[in-house]
Every structure is written in C-alpha cells, then in structure tokens.
Amino acid sequence: MDAYQEAAEILAHAKRAVAFSGAGVSAESGIPTFRDPGGIWDKFEPEEIGTVPALLRTAQDNPELIRQFLLDTVTVFERSEPNRAHQCVARLEKMGIVVAVITQNIDGLHIEAGSQNVIEVHGSLLRGRCLACDRQFPLQRDTLFKRAHEMLDDESGFSIDKVALILPTCSCGGVTRPDVVMFGESVQRIQDAFQVAALCDVMLILGTSGVVYPAAACPGEAYKAGAKLIEINPNEKCFGTMTNVFIKASAERAMRTLMERVKNRIAEGTKKPNG
Ligand code: OAD
C-alpha cells in the first residue's frame, strides 16, 4: 500500500482528526516559509526583528530595514489566498473527519478557506489587540493593507511611530497592535491546542519544521494519547518515529491526492456487499 492509500485509510476511519499546520501549508499561496531558502529568517535576522525590543531598537538604528520588512510582509500577505491544501482541510471538517485545526500561521487562510474551529497559537495578522485593556478585535483586510501602504509609501519618510497609526484606537482609548506572537511573548490558546491534540485519533501535520515550542509539542501530545500521525512535507520528515505515514510532497499536491483517495475509500465503504 502506498503512503497516500495508507493515509486515506487512516483518515477515512478517523472520528476526531486534528490538522496541525505551519508555514509550509501557505507556501503555495505565495507566503514564504521561515526557514527555507528565501524564507523570512533567511532574509532577516531574528535578532533584529523577532522580538518587540529588537524591533524597536532596529527601528531607531535602521528604520529602512524595518520599512523593507513591513513592505515585504504586506505585499506577500495582501496577495495571498487559500490554496487547495487549506480548502481540503476545510472540506475534511465539513465531512466530519477533522474536528479542529491548530495552526502556527498568522495569515488567516484556514479560516478564509472555511475551517470553523481554528486555534491560531501564534495569533493573527487580521486581528488587533489593545495594549491597555487587552481587547481583541477583527481587522478588515482591505483597510489594513491600504493603510499600511499609505504609511510605507509616504514620501515624508518612515518612522516606527507611524506604524501605530495603521491600526484603529481601541474603544477604551488605548493604543492597539497586531495580535501576533513575537519571540519571547506568550503563545495563544495553547491549552486548547494541547487539549484537542490529546483527544484526537489522527493528527494531520502539514508543512512545519516543528522546532518552535510550545506549539511544536502538539504532535507529541497526540502521539502520547495514541493518535496516528500523518505528516506532509516536500523536504524532510520532522517528527521522526512518531510519524506513522510520511507523504513527501508539497501540501497542495499531497492534499489533492489524499482527498481523492479518502473520498474513494469512503465510497467503497458505503457500497453494499455484492452490489
Ligand atoms: P518553518 O519555515 O520552520 O518550516 C516550514 C516547513 O514547511 C519546512 O519543514 C518545509 O520543508 C515545509 N515546506 C516548504 N514548502 C512546503 C510546501 N509547499 N508544502 C508543505 N510543506 C512545505 O515554518 P514553521 O514550522 O511554521 O513563529 O515555523 C514555526 C514558527 O517559527 C512560526 O510560526 C514562526 C517562526 O519563527 C513565530 O513567529 C512565533
């Protein structure tokens, strides 16, 4: 049996599968990963922009680097759309196979593809958070990117103070920021993530190097609880002997084939014997 058939067999019998995704699932939506060649941590140093203090320091010393980083980020995210892999994960939820998605991505593409139960452990670019009262609120995608461009293209020059003006002021009067997790900050909803991981019977892992904790511990939680692990990555397998089935392919290609096989397997299972 090939890896796709094996994975389809497991998924077709799953009662509460959980998808666990990283940057690789959005690579084919045009968003570079972090650690692949050309990725964010290949182009920029985490020590320069990875934490809030580093970002503020670099904004003083080298504002053009921050402007370039923000411009790259805005340009990439505004063009991105869910790809077939996000859509297939959403479809598996509608079919009653997947019960939750745990994602390390901040791009909102699982939600845009139609997944309902998404745990965004590293936050979302499409959400703001008040620094005074901690209220979270949705950001309108088009408005956000339009205002970001106005600020980044402003010929009077760039300064970090102007970044705060992109986001609306909170109803309490407080300053707000994008609700994304930077290094050194607390991850979001990690207990919810661990809980669904520990209750799942299958974990479908898509496009993550699994090196950033605590999120990277989710597959281990699922494994400890007896779940089967299916891992999709065009490069290396990242979860070693915990992975039951490894599909060495890009997320879109893998999910397109896997969906076909799952549907066929379910159709075969519902056929009456002898005809
Ligand atoms: P990484 O860049 O570390 O890993 C991306 C993974 O996706 C690699 O294993 C690639 O081989 C794989 N990949 C590349 N192209 C792919 C494709 N088309 N289909 C499927 N897989 C593909 O990204 P993450 O694992 O998401 O955290 O990184 C985890 C965290 O590190 C991020 O959430 C971010 C980062 O620093 C914070 O910013 C807090």
Side-chain angles (χ1 to χ4, degrees), residues 93-155:
E93 189 181 334
K94 285 197 183 76
M95 290 163 76
I97 293 174
V98 162
V99 295
V101 179
I102 305 168
T103 186
Q104 299 161 89
N105 300 342
I106 60 167
D107 53 35
L109 294 180
H110 282 296
I111 293 175
E112 208 179 319
S115 287
Q116 300 286 315
N117 188 14
V118 183
I119 302 173
E120 296 174 311
V121 287
H122 290 165
S124 171
L125 199 61
L126 300 175
R127 216 168 40 232
R129 179 159 56 83
C130 176
L131 293 176
C133 71
D134 218 33
R135 185 176 73 90
Q136 293 172 309
F137 56 93
L139 291 170
Q140 218 274 325
R141 194 186 158 93
D142 294 345
T143 315
L144 175 71
F145 292 133
K146 183 170 167 280
R147 293 178 81 163
H149 269 298
E150 281 164 8
M151 184 268 300
L152 293 165
D153 301 339
D154 183 354
E155 286 178 1

Side-chain angles (χ1 to χ4, degrees), residues 41-64:
W41 299 144
D42 193 23
K43 282 165 79 180
F44 298 95
E45 295 297 329
E47 296 76 26
E48 286 179 313
I49 56 161
T51 64
V52 173
L55 199 69
L56 294 175
R57 197 176 51 243
T58 309
Q60 288 288 333
D61 301 347
N62 188 356
E64 182 50 27

Side-chain angles (χ1 to χ4, degrees), residues 5-188:
Q5 204 53 37
E6 231 182 299
E9 200 70 36
I10 292 172
L11 274 174
H13 288 98
K15 302 247 175 314
R16 40 180 203 286
V18 167
F20 175 65
S21 72
V25 77
S26 297
E28 287 151 305
S29 294
I31 303 177
T33 63
F34 290 89
R35 295 173 180 81
D36 290 303
I40 296 165
W41 299 144
D42 193 23
K43 282 165 79 180
F44 298 95
E45 295 297 329
E47 296 76 26
E48 286 179 313
I49 56 161
T51 64
V52 173
L55 199 69
L56 294 175
R57 197 176 51 243
T58 309
Q60 288 288 333
D61 301 347
N62 188 356
E64 182 50 27
L65 187 125
I66 299 296
R67 195 188 78 87
Q68 200 52 55
F69 166 69
L70 294 174
L71 191 59
D72 270 22
T73 308
V74 167
T75 308
V76 158
F77 279 94
E78 73 183 334
R79 288 184 190 150
S80 66
E81 285 179 3
N83 65 47
R84 279 296 284 271
H86 299 103
Q87 287 159 1
C88 288
V89 170
R91 182 90 192 101
L92 286 171
E93 189 181 334
K94 285 197 183 76
M95 290 163 76
I97 293 174
V98 162
V99 295
V101 179
I102 305 168
T103 186
Q104 299 161 89
N105 300 342
I106 60 167
D107 53 35
L109 294 180
H110 282 296
I111 293 175
E112 208 179 319
S115 287
Q116 300 286 315
N117 188 14
V118 183
I119 302 173
E120 296 174 311
V121 287
H122 290 165
S124 171
L125 199 61
L126 300 175
R127 216 168 40 232
R129 179 159 56 83
C130 176
L131 293 176
C133 71
D134 218 33
R135 185 176 73 90
Q136 293 172 309
F137 56 93
L139 291 170
Q140 218 274 325
R141 194 186 158 93
D142 294 345
T143 315
L144 175 71
F145 292 133
K146 183 170 167 280
R147 293 178 81 163
H149 269 298
E150 281 164 8
M151 184 268 300
L152 293 165
D153 301 339
D154 183 354
E155 286 178 1
S156 68
F158 168 81
S159 80
I160 195 77
D161 309 340
K162 292 185 183 171
V163 177
L165 303 176
I166 299 176
L167 299 188
T169 306
C170 180
S171 47
C172 80
V175 174
T176 64
R177 60 167 272 185
D179 194 22
V180 297
V181 175
M182 302 194 61
F183 282 119
E185 296 188 313
S186 301
V187 290
Q188 301 184 3

Side-chain angles (χ1 to χ4, degrees), residues 197-213:
L199 290 175
C200 75
D201 53 2
V202 177
M203 183 164 273
L204 178 63
I205 305 168
L206 302 123
T208 179
S209 58
V211 295
V212 175
Y213 284 82

